[in-house]
Amino acid sequence: DRDRAMEESVKEIYVYPLEHSFRTLMGVPPNDCDRELAFDDSIAADTWAAAEFGGAPLGDARLTQRLVTSAAITATQPGRAFCGTAKGDLPAVKGHYRLIESPDDSAVTPENILLPHRERTVRRMKAHETVLCVQDGTDLNYSGLAQCTGLGTIGTNQTGAKSRGLHLHSTLAITTAGIPLGVLRAQFTAPEKKSKKDDRPSSAIPIEEKKTFRWIESFRDCVKLTAEMPSTQLVSVMDREADFFELFDEQRRNPKVELLVRAKHNRGTADDAKLFDAVGQTPVRSSLRIKVPRQSARPKKSKQKARPERKARTAEVALRYHRVELRPPPNLQDREPISLWVIQVVEEHPPKGVEPLEWFLLTTLEIDSVEQAEACLRWYCLRWRIEDWHRVLKSGCRIEALAHKTAERLSRAIAINLVIAWRIMLMTLLGREQPELPAEVLFSDLEIQVLAAFAKKKTKSLTQLGEAVRLVAQIGGYLGRKKDPPPGHQVMWQGYFQLQLMCEGYLLRDNRDRDQDVPVLSRLN
C-alpha cells in the first residue's frame, strides 16, 4: 500500500524461535521473563501494580499504563467506588472508565488484563517442587442492574424470581504451605437454563455442552503450563462438583497433572463393590486428630441453607486408603475402567448428638505410605484458600457492588479486583507463614513510616513483615489476645483500608509542616 490508500489497522506479529536453545548457543544471558520469581520481588505497595499489570496487551500502551494506574488506585481502598478512591482526580476517573468501557471487540479483555499476572504467577510456581492448582466457581449476583446486558440466570430466589448475574470459574495457584502464588485462570460465563424444547436426557448431552466442562477446560490449561515448568509437579485440587468420570478420563489421556478430588458419588467399582464400601472395609492405616473450628449459627437466606451452631473441638479420625477401578457410567461403556486411589477419613466415635466427620478423596497420585495419604489430606484442606479468596472478592473488594452497563465491562473491572484480592490474601498469609521477611516486601516506605508511628504509640517495634501485618490487623480491629487465632482476611482488608486513610493524613501533615519549616519526624517522638 505505497500510497497509503487503505485504512490502517492494528496487526499482531508472532515470532517463533526455530532453535529454543539459541540463547545458550549465542552466549547471551537467559530471558529474564523465564527465571523463577521469589515472593519478595516487586509485590510492595509502590511497585506491585506495575509488576502484575504492566505489559498487558491491550492494543495501546496508554491503555496499559492506565490499567496500572487504575489498579494501584483501586487497591488503596478496596471495595470503594473508583470515584471516591481517586479523591477527585478527574483525569484518573475519566481514564479508568474509558478503559472499562472500551468496545466489546477491543483487546481490553479479562484474559489480557490478567496476562501479566498469570506470567508472573507461573514464574513464582517454578520456584516450588509441588504446586496446588485449586479450581472452584462462584456466582456473582447483579440482579440490581436492571439495564445491564449480557447477564445470565444464576438461580431463583424464594419468590421464584430469577437472579441475574455471572458465574466465575477460576484457578488459584498455592504452595503446599498454603501461600497463594496468583490467579492462573478466570472464566466468566452468563449461565442460561436448559431450553424447554431440549428434551435430551443428561446422558445424551455432550460434555462440551454441560457446565461441568469448565472443570476440564481449566485442567487442560494446567496441562499446557507443564511445558513451562518441567521441574514442578502440578496437582489440580477440586471439590465434589468435579466428581465426574469424564474428568478422570481426561487426566488419563493427559497424565502430566495429577488430580485430587473430593468424592460425591458412591460409584460402582470393577470388583462389583460400591466405592465407599470398598475402602471402608479395609484396615485402618493410621489415626489422626483434626481440629474442628467453631462455627456460628446461620439462618436460612436465599439459596443458603440454615446452619446450626458448632463448638470447637478435636476429632479423632481413622485414615484408610485403597486402590480401586471405577467403572464407566452407562453412557460411556466404550471407555475402560479408571484406576484411582481413594482415601477415607472418618470419625468413628463422635460425641453424642454430633454429626461425624467423613471425607472420601479420589486421587491419581500414587499412595504407598501413610505419609503420602496424610499429605493428600493436608493438600485438600488447603482447597479452602479459594473460598477465602472468594470472600475477599465479595466482602472486601465488593465486586457485586460494581455497576456497569454490560457484562463485558463488569468482567474487566472484576479482573482487576481478582489480583487485588490475591494480594490481600498474600499479605495475611505471608505475614503468618514467613514473618521474618522484611516489611518492605509488601509495604511502601510511606506505609512503613505510618505503621512505625502507630507501633510507637502501641509501644511495639516494626522490623519484620509479621509485625507489620499484625499492626495492620490491629488497625482493622484485631485484639491479639493469647487465645486469639492469627489475624484473618477480614481484619486485614479493613485495616489496610484504614491504613491508606492514615497515610493520606500523614502526607497532608507532611506538606503543611514543610510549608511551616517544621521537622516532619518531630511528631513521631
Side-chain angles (χ1 to χ4, degrees):
D1 187 24
R2 180 180 301 176
D3 299 328
R4 298 184 180 181
M6 303 298 293
E7 182 180 357
E8 294 182 0
S9 61
V10 178
K11 296 177 176 60
E12 296 181 354
I13 301 176
Y14 299 90
V15 180
Y16 299 93
L18 299 178
E19 175 57 58
H20 290 281
S21 60
F22 71 93
R23 293 181 180 274
T24 303
L25 297 174
M26 295 176 64
V28 298
N31 189 358
D32 183 67
C33 294
D34 294 332
R35 68 177 176 87
E36 297 177 359
L37 197 63
F39 282 121
D40 57 350
D41 193 342
S42 300
I43 57 174
D46 51 357
T47 58
W48 77 271
E52 301 298 329
F53 290 102
L58 305 184
D60 191 318
R62 293 170 295 182
L63 289 176
T64 302
Q65 182 56 46
R66 173 51 55 193
L67 171 63
V68 173
T69 303
S70 295
I73 293 175
T74 302
T76 57
Q77 296 178 352
R80 192 177 181 186
F82 190 86
C83 295
T85 308
K87 304 180 183 67
D89 188 344
L90 184 59
V93 174
K94 285 186 175 180
H96 172 76
Y97 285 106
R98 285 197 191 104
L99 172 70
I100 299 299
E101 296 172 3
S102 299
D104 289 350
D105 58 349
S106 69
V108 185
T109 62
E111 294 77 16
N112 288 342
I113 289 174
L114 290 172
L115 183 58
H117 173 72
R118 173 187 167 93
E119 293 174 347
R120 290 179 65 84
T121 298
V122 171
R123 291 169 60 188
R124 285 187 280 263
M125 294 168 67
K126 292 180 180 180
H128 301 271
E129 292 183 2
T130 302
V131 174
L132 309 179
C133 301
V134 183
Q135 286 192 47
D136 199 13
T138 185
D139 289 330
L140 306 177
N141 194 327
Y142 294 105
S143 297
L145 303 181
Q147 298 182 354
C148 182
T149 60
L151 298 177
T153 303
I154 59 174
T156 55
N157 59 21
Q158 294 175 332
T159 64
K162 293 182 179 180
S163 299
R164 300 171 68 245
L166 296 172
H167 183 82
L168 169 63
H169 189 92
S170 47
T171 304
L172 185 68
I174 63 175
T175 69
T176 54
I179 303 297
L181 298 172
V183 184
L184 284 176
R185 190 172 190 268
Q187 179 183 7
F188 298 90
T189 56
E192 294 295 339
K193 287 191 174 182
K194 183 179 177 181
S195 173
K196 295 182 179 180
K197 297 181 180 179
D198 189 354
D199 56 356
R200 293 177 299 173
S202 178
S203 59
I205 301 176
I207 187 64
E208 292 79 8
E209 298 181 21
K210 297 181 179 179
K211 63 180 183 180
T212 52
F213 187 63
R214 60 175 71 105
W215 298 90
I216 294 180
E217 289 181 307
S218 296
F219 175 80
R220 289 175 178 174
D221 182 64
C222 293
V223 172
K224 292 179 181 178
L225 291 178
T226 57
E228 302 181 44
M229 50 184 83
S231 301
T232 301
Q233 181 189 43
L234 301 186
V235 181
S236 190
V237 184
M238 314 178 196
D239 65 3
R240 288 179 289 186
E241 189 179 348
D243 181 15
F244 57 98
F245 188 88
E246 290 89 341
L247 176 64
F248 297 104
D249 192 43
E250 179 73 23
Q251 194 278 339
R252 177 165 52 187
R253 294 192 295 268
N254 299 286
K256 296 179 181 180
V257 177
E258 305 291 349
L259 284 178
L260 180 59
V261 181
R262 186 176 177 185
K264 179 180 180 181
H265 305 291
N266 193 11
R267 304 176 182 275
T269 66
D271 298 332
D272 294 330
K274 289 294 185 179
L275 173 64
F276 298 163
D277 296 334
V279 64
Q281 294 172 359
T282 60
V284 175
R285 305 297 184 109
S286 176
S287 296
L288 306 173
R289 290 186 176 184
I290 297 179
K291 291 184 178 180
V292 182
R294 179 186 66 86
Q295 181 176 271
S296 59
R298 181 183 66 192
K300 178 175 175 56
K301 181 181 179 182
S302 184
K303 295 190 294 183
Q304 292 182 340
K305 297 180 180 179
R307 184 179 65 189
E309 182 181 4
R310 184 182 66 194
K311 295 182 179 180
R313 63 187 179 92
T314 300
E316 299 275 351
V317 298
L319 175 67
R320 296 180 176 89
Y321 56 89
H322 181 59
R323 182 187 285 276
V324 296
E325 285 194 353
L326 297 184
R327 290 200 307 247
N331 61 314
L332 298 174
Q333 289 300 313
D334 58 331
R335 311 284 176 89
E336 294 293 328
I338 295 178
S339 179
L340 297 171
W341 285 91
V342 57
I343 304 170
Q344 182 197 37
V345 177
V346 59
E347 187 178 15
E348 297 183 331
H349 304 288
K352 186 178 180 179
V354 176
E355 183 179 357
L357 295 179
E358 187 173 27
W359 281 6
F360 293 94
L361 302 180
L362 298 173
T363 182
T364 57
L365 291 159
E366 286 293 328
I367 302 180
D368 297 325
S369 64
V370 171
E371 290 75 18
Q372 291 175 327
E374 291 179 356
C376 288
L377 180 60
R378 288 194 303 271
W379 294 351
Y380 185 79
C381 289
L382 293 174
R383 194 202 68 81
W384 196 255
R385 287 285 189 261
I386 198 168
E387 302 283 0
D388 291 336
W389 181 60
H390 289 160
R391 183 165 176 261
V392 175
L393 278 170
K394 292 184 177 182
S395 300
C397 299
R398 300 182 67 237
I399 59 174
E400 291 182 310
L402 294 170
H404 295 285
K405 293 183 178 180
T406 68
E408 180 65 25
R409 296 177 184 179
L410 283 173
S411 62
R412 293 167 183 160
I414 295 170
I416 299 174
N417 282 277
L418 297 182
V419 184
I420 294 174
W422 159 77
R423 188 173 177 274
I424 293 174
M425 281 193 66
L426 183 62
M427 187 183 304
T428 306
L429 299 172
L430 198 57
R432 184 186 306 174
E433 300 294 336
Q434 300 185 25
E436 72 283 353
L437 292 175
E440 291 81 4
V441 167
L442 283 172
F443 298 98
S444 66
D445 293 341
L446 174 62
E447 290 171 345
I448 292 175
Q449 289 180 15
V450 174
L451 286 174
F454 181 79
K456 191 167 186 179
K457 177 182 177 182
K458 296 289 184 179
T459 65
K460 295 184 179 180
S461 61
L462 177 61
T463 58
Q464 295 179 330
L465 177 63
E467 296 167 345
V469 168
R470 194 175 183 88
L471 287 171
V472 174
Q474 289 179 349
I475 295 174
Y478 179 66
L479 298 179
R481 296 166 296 191
K482 291 184 178 180
K483 294 184 179 181
D484 287 341
H489 306 300
Q490 182 170 345
V491 294
M492 283 304 301
W493 79 60
Q494 292 174 345
Y496 192 72
F497 185 98
Q498 294 297 324
L499 175 62
Q500 301 310 308
L501 298 179
M502 295 167 65
C503 289
E504 183 178 354
Y506 188 98
L507 286 176
L508 293 175
R509 177 70 178 269
D510 189 3
N511 294 333
R512 192 193 71 174
D513 289 346
R514 286 179 180 176
D515 294 340
Q516 298 177 359
D517 295 329
V518 178
V520 176
L521 296 179
S522 63
R523 63 181 176 279
L524 301 180
N525 299 326

